[in-house]
Amino acid sequence: MPSEMIRLFGVNHKTTPLAVREKLALSSGYEEPLSRLAALPGCREVYLLSTCNRVEVLVVAEDGADVDTIIPAFLFGEAVSADKYHEYLFSYQGDDAVHHLFMVAASLDSMIVGEAQILGQIKEAYRHASVGASGPILNKLLHKAFSVAKRVRTETRIGSAAVSISYAAVELARKIFGGLQDKKVLLIGAGEMAELAAENLVGQGVTEVTVANRTLANGVALAKRFRGRAVALDELMVELERADIVISSTGATEVILHRDDLRPIMRARRNRPIFFIDIAVPRDLDPALNELENIFLYDIDDLNNVVEMNKSEREREAISARRIVDEETLKFRAWLDGLAVNPTIAALRRKGEAICRAELERTLPRLGELDDQQRQALEKMTAAICSKFLHDPLCYLKSDDHRDQTAAKIRTTHKVFGLEDDQA
Amino acid sequence: MTFESVMMIEEISYLLFQLVLLVSFMSAAAYVVFFVSRRDQVRTIARAILMASGLLQTGYIVSRYFLAGYTPITSQHEAVVFFAWSVTWAYLSFRWRYTVKNFGTLVSILVVGLLLVAALVSREVAPLPPALQSHWLPVHAGVAMFSYGFLALAFCGGFMYLVQEWELKSKRLGYFFVRLPSLDSLDQLNRHCLTTGFVFLTLGIITGSLWARQAWGTYWQWDPKETWSLITWLLYAAQMHQRLTVGWRGRRAAIMAIVGFLSVLFTLWGVSFLLGGAHSYAQ
């Protein structure tokens, strides 16, 4: 079973604009396209992945199947004319297909390298494919992809540092407060960015959200989203005594909180730490706040810097992650080669056993009366001769070379030992 | 005890101390590797080694007890070993309740440092001076050393707090930012260790004064060691007071933990070498 039969076709965010990908996205779910795919001639095993950034088809093709035309046609349907396929489509075969799948699973091919979502999406896709569409090879391949992704996650720190502003804010909050479970968030201004940042914090366990806004109605609307309270901007000082994390995003042209405003508040808070996030441009908060004890102030530029630093850390980690993917691709190759030589090994053994049996049947009647023990000893001896004789050819078949010569080895073995050709 | 058994215990005691040094050094090395590599398996190993070091230290102190016939806490060597032992066990007891990321690294280095000091001074077993032959000796010195153990942890925590706070304030989130724990957990560590250490320190001073009454007929005689213990106690008392009343925490509490511990070190060593006085048996 040569690995050239594993084929991968797809489009992703790098090769294909969103306008085209939109038309391909399989809105009808996985079942219907999978069954259409499995029904295509020559596709022994199939698997399909569809996310907002990529659509990929993985097949194990039968010999002589014309997958190069039928799969792209399946993929693009009516959306793109056949002569434009090559502009968008990438296709891999054998080791390259395996490598690509591993890269995707390990989130090295993602728009944001290291993001964790893709693995879940692949598992979901495989859950559908495993019901009848995939087979022994793809099952093994997909499981291998999961373990590669896991290995990359545990052995590198590719996913550890926050690479978006709102996650950077969460990471900082964790280093200040430890757990965020009982922390209170105060939003000053009801902008979209504030909403996004608060969303992530709530996802991390923050329980209470308060919105202070100039127009109370907008504040109430946003507060409702987090099941929080809305207060008027005049009540800001009172609210500051209670809040732990303050996200400011008003459209004010002047600074709304000065260093000296905070002194009495810190006394009233008994110095409990407070984390200010100023995402407004121009800034809402006096930069000098950061100089006060137990106050930590990050503005939008500071957060961007954190994100940039984390991104370059990810780039470095991606290098060792790629090495892992390369390694695992080789290992899968070895498994596949094992699969390819298995029929030959079986044929070799069958032939040896047949010879032993034939010779025993001829010799035993001529030896006269033998008890069971003697008979068994004789049988054991012939089997031992046979397996010792076959030991070296089997080693030769299973041996690892720098270059792949499996097909040639199989041919040689068949010729030398006169095995039937239908096993090749 | 027969001469042979004394020789044997002496031999065992010597070997135990060498082993304590080696194992403590290994635990610190493993913790440093964990600090750099951030691999959880390494931490598990480092913890196990530190635990072994704690047990070996206990064994060494016990062997020393049999050798000397009194609680081994009077000579410089013995006092420092006891100090290291109390730091180790204060940490292990603390670890059991809270996890503070990478705290073990600093603590294990401190333990090795103390044991190295102990290795460099004379290990001779001296006969106990008559003034110290009392049941108060293990109580007073033991309690004092235990307080030092916890105060040493507060010192380590304070140091880590200052580094992490600097990373956050300067916005240069570098090497230490990811490796050090959250400010909140360091502040809790400070509170816990300070409270425990302060209680033991108070007990140490009270038992000392009771012993003084018995031995010298007066509760307090302004011996340099007594004076410096009182200064140390006042430093920590002031901090406790401020924390409870106006909520001193964070940076200030961290600095105070460091200043307080420097005063502890001076009480332990500085006084003996520079000022002399009734406590200077240990030379």
Side-chain angles (χ1 to χ4, degrees):
Chain A
M1 206 164 291
S3 63
E4 285 69 37
M5 292 163 70
I6 297 179
R7 300 293 309 267
L8 188 144
F9 299 87
V11 296
N12 65 13
H13 55 94
K14 291 176 196 159
T15 61
T16 314
L18 184 62
V20 178
R21 288 199 325 264
E22 267 169 355
K23 292 185 207 152
L24 309 181
L26 305 145
S27 50
S28 52
Y30 276 113
E31 269 89 15
E32 186 266 330
L34 265 176
S35 59
R36 265 199 297 137
L37 190 58
L40 293 178
C43 297
R44 200 179 300 161
E45 302 180 27
V46 297
Y47 154 89
L48 173 69
L49 171 71
S50 167
T51 76
C52 47
N53 282 331
R54 63 182 71 244
V55 179
E56 296 189 358
V57 172
L58 189 60
V59 298
V60 175
E62 274 163 17
D63 253 355
D66 188 19
V67 284
D68 285 300
T69 38
I70 55 175
I71 302 283
F74 162 82
L75 203 56
F76 289 109
E78 307 290 303
V80 180
S81 61
D83 53 324
K84 289 212 163 158
Y85 288 173
H86 65 275
E87 279 178 36
Y88 306 125
L89 187 77
F90 55 81
S91 84
Y92 298 107
Q93 56 180 320
D95 288 353
D96 296 334
V98 172
H99 190 263
H100 178 81
L101 178 72
F102 289 174
M103 289 289 277
V104 172
S107 191
L108 293 167
D109 198 50
S110 306
M111 194 134 75
I112 299 168
V113 170
E115 56 100 6
Q117 251 182 0
I118 183 69
L119 183 60
Q121 290 165 334
I122 291 181
K123 282 186 174 165
E124 169 73 11
Y126 173 63
R127 209 167 51 75
H128 290 287
S130 63
V131 194
S134 66
I137 294 180
L138 286 193
N139 287 346
K140 174 82 178 179
L141 181 56
L142 266 301
H143 279 120
K144 195 75 202 164
F146 303 151
S147 73
V148 171
K150 184 155 183 261
R151 216 187 128 196
V152 165
R153 257 184 205 262
T154 47
E155 289 181 27
T156 73
R157 280 181 286 277
I158 191 128
S160 66
V163 286
S164 71
I165 285 182
S166 50
Y167 276 109
V170 170
E171 188 180 275
L172 288 164
R174 283 187 172 286
K175 280 293 178 189
I176 296 169
F177 298 110
L180 301 180
Q181 279 75 25
D182 51 351
K183 297 294 173 272
K184 302 179 181 72
V185 172
L186 171 64
L187 303 177
I188 310 177
E192 204 176 315
M193 280 290 276
E195 186 180 344
L196 198 65
E199 211 163 50
N200 273 325
L201 286 166
V202 172
Q204 300 294 320
V206 161
T207 44
E208 202 183 310
V209 179
T210 307
V211 184
N213 201 35
R214 201 154 43 97
T215 33
L216 197 59
N218 292 350
V220 170
L222 182 56
K224 213 182 241 169
R225 233 173 111 351
F226 299 111
R227 269 176 274 144
R229 294 179 305 127
V231 296
L233 211 48
D234 312 334
E235 297 168 85
L236 186 59
M237 292 302 159
V238 187
E239 290 302 324
L240 280 176
E241 286 177 18
R242 301 180 62 243
D244 299 295
I245 301 167
V246 180
I247 302 170
S248 190
S249 62
T250 72
T253 48
E254 307 260 311
V255 167
I256 58 169
L257 268 179
H258 290 273
R259 178 192 158 115
D260 290 335
D261 300 332
L262 259 295
R263 284 180 189 280
I265 288 170
M266 286 314 278
R267 246 193 315 279
R269 294 173 60 85
R270 293 172 52 83
N271 291 315
R272 272 185 302 113
I274 186 164
F275 179 27
F276 283 101
I277 302 164
D278 187 356
I279 48 182
V281 181
R283 286 184 288 188
D284 283 342
L285 307 176
D286 181 2
L289 287 184
N290 197 42
E291 292 160 15
L292 293 176
E293 262 180 56
N294 297 311
I295 293 182
F296 301 89
L297 167 68
Y298 277 72
D299 63 30
I300 192 85
D301 279 1
D302 299 331
L303 291 173
N304 273 328
N305 282 341
V306 173
V307 167
E308 283 310 310
M309 281 190 292
N310 289 346
K311 271 189 184 155
S312 54
E313 153 121 16
R314 278 198 182 190
E315 291 302 317
R316 280 196 301 278
E317 291 299 320
I319 294 170
S320 41
R322 275 188 207 109
R323 183 185 45 76
I324 293 175
V325 166
D326 292 348
E327 256 174 56
E328 296 291 339
T329 307
L330 284 178
K331 279 193 207 160
F332 187 77
R333 169 90 215 189
W335 178 81
L336 215 53
D337 288 348
L339 214 58
V341 298
N342 275 345
T344 308
I345 291 173
L348 212 49
R349 288 219 173 99
R350 266 201 308 276
K351 180 151 189 174
E353 278 163 24
I355 293 171
C356 285
R357 221 175 315 118
E359 292 304 313
L360 275 171
E361 273 163 19
R362 255 186 22 198
T363 311
L364 280 174
R366 278 190 264 155
L367 289 176
E369 286 298 301
L370 289 179
D371 60 28
D372 272 358
Q373 230 177 347
Q374 288 169 316
R375 258 180 70 98
Q376 276 167 14
L378 214 55
E379 279 168 7
K380 256 188 202 155
M381 188 193 75
T382 51
I385 291 172
C386 174
S387 70
K388 284 212 172 122
F389 184 73
L390 287 182
H391 179 257
D392 289 319
L394 291 185
C395 284
Y396 165 73
L397 272 175
K398 288 180 191 165
S399 63
D400 265 332
D401 301 307
H402 292 299
R403 278 175 301 121
D404 181 53
Q405 294 165 335
T406 309
K409 283 196 234 168
I410 292 173
R411 263 198 313 279
T412 311
T413 312
H414 275 253
K415 231 181 239 166
V416 170
F417 288 92
L419 301 174
E420 315 86 50
D421 260 348
D422 59 24
Q423 295 292 335
Chain B
M1 271 189 291
T2 63
F3 180 72
E4 283 79 24
S5 61
V6 170
M7 287 301 286
M8 200 181 76
I9 296 178
E10 207 166 307
E11 190 71 12
I12 290 174
S13 175
Y14 176 80
L15 285 176
L16 266 175
F17 186 71
Q18 304 304 101
L19 208 58
V20 162
L21 266 184
L22 178 73
V23 172
S24 307
F25 180 78
M26 277 164 54
S27 79
Y31 266 117
V32 169
V33 170
F34 168 63
F35 191 85
V36 174
S37 73
R38 290 187 275 165
R39 282 181 192 278
D40 285 344
Q41 307 102 296
V42 181
R43 179 171 53 185
T44 317
I45 296 167
R47 271 180 198 159
I49 304 177
L50 187 64
M51 185 67 128
S53 154
L55 292 172
L56 284 169
Q57 289 174 42
T58 312
Y60 176 64
I61 289 171
V62 169
S63 78
R64 212 48 210 199
Y65 175 83
F66 281 116
L67 211 55
Y70 55 85
T71 312
I73 200 165
T74 53
S75 80
Q76 181 78 293
H77 172 75
E78 290 165 347
V80 177
V81 169
F82 210 89
F83 192 3
W85 178 83
S86 70
V87 172
T88 310
W89 284 101
Y91 170 73
L92 290 172
S93 75
F94 178 85
R95 248 265 330 133
W96 191 60
R97 285 182 56 187
Y98 313 86
T99 341
V100 178
K101 199 174 172 187
N102 267 322
F103 187 40
T105 311
L106 210 55
V107 172
S108 62
I109 291 172
L110 180 72
V111 168
V112 172
L114 287 171
L115 288 170
L116 278 177
V117 171
L120 292 176
V121 298
S122 160
R123 298 184 208 173
E124 210 177 313
V125 179
L128 197 60
L132 294 181
Q133 288 172 8
S134 162
H135 290 304
W136 283 108
L137 171 68
V139 178
H140 169 61
V143 164
M145 279 303 171
F146 230 80
S147 82
Y148 289 2
F150 277 96
L151 297 175
L153 292 192
F155 163 78
C156 293
F159 180 73
M160 285 164 78
Y161 185 97
L162 290 185
V163 174
Q164 183 67 300
E165 198 221 16
W166 186 82
E167 295 259 316
L168 274 163
K169 283 269 188 188
S170 69
K171 295 162 189 178
R172 258 175 247 144
L173 311 179
Y175 190 77
F176 292 105
F177 176 75
V178 285
R179 284 172 174 79
L180 293 182
S182 69
L183 293 180
D184 183 68
S185 62
L186 287 170
D187 197 52
Q188 277 188 31
L189 181 151
N190 178 296
R191 201 193 57 214
H192 172 88
C193 291
L194 222 62
T195 319
T196 319
F198 185 71
V199 169
F200 279 117
L201 188 64
T202 312
L203 282 176
I205 288 176
I206 292 172
T207 52
S209 124
L210 289 175
W211 185 8
R213 168 84 182 129
Q214 208 181 53
W216 300 319
T218 165
Y219 287 109
W220 198 267
Q221 54 173 352
W222 298 105
D223 161 82
K225 197 121 189 169
E226 287 176 5
T227 313
W228 272 95
S229 296
L230 186 66
I231 292 171
T232 306
W233 187 85
L234 284 173
L235 276 171
Y236 282 113
Q239 189 188 347
M240 295 286 292
H241 175 264
Q242 290 301 91
R243 188 185 262 280
L244 291 175
T245 51
V246 293
W248 262 29
R249 56 159 80 213
R251 183 184 172 76
R252 258 179 239 197
I255 291 174
M256 283 302 282
I258 291 170
V259 170
F261 187 67
L262 292 179
S263 171
V264 164
L265 288 184
F266 188 76
T267 313
L268 185 65
W269 281 317
V271 172
S272 301
F273 289 121
L274 300 178
L275 305 176
H279 276 79
S280 306
Y281 313 106
Q283 289 295 344

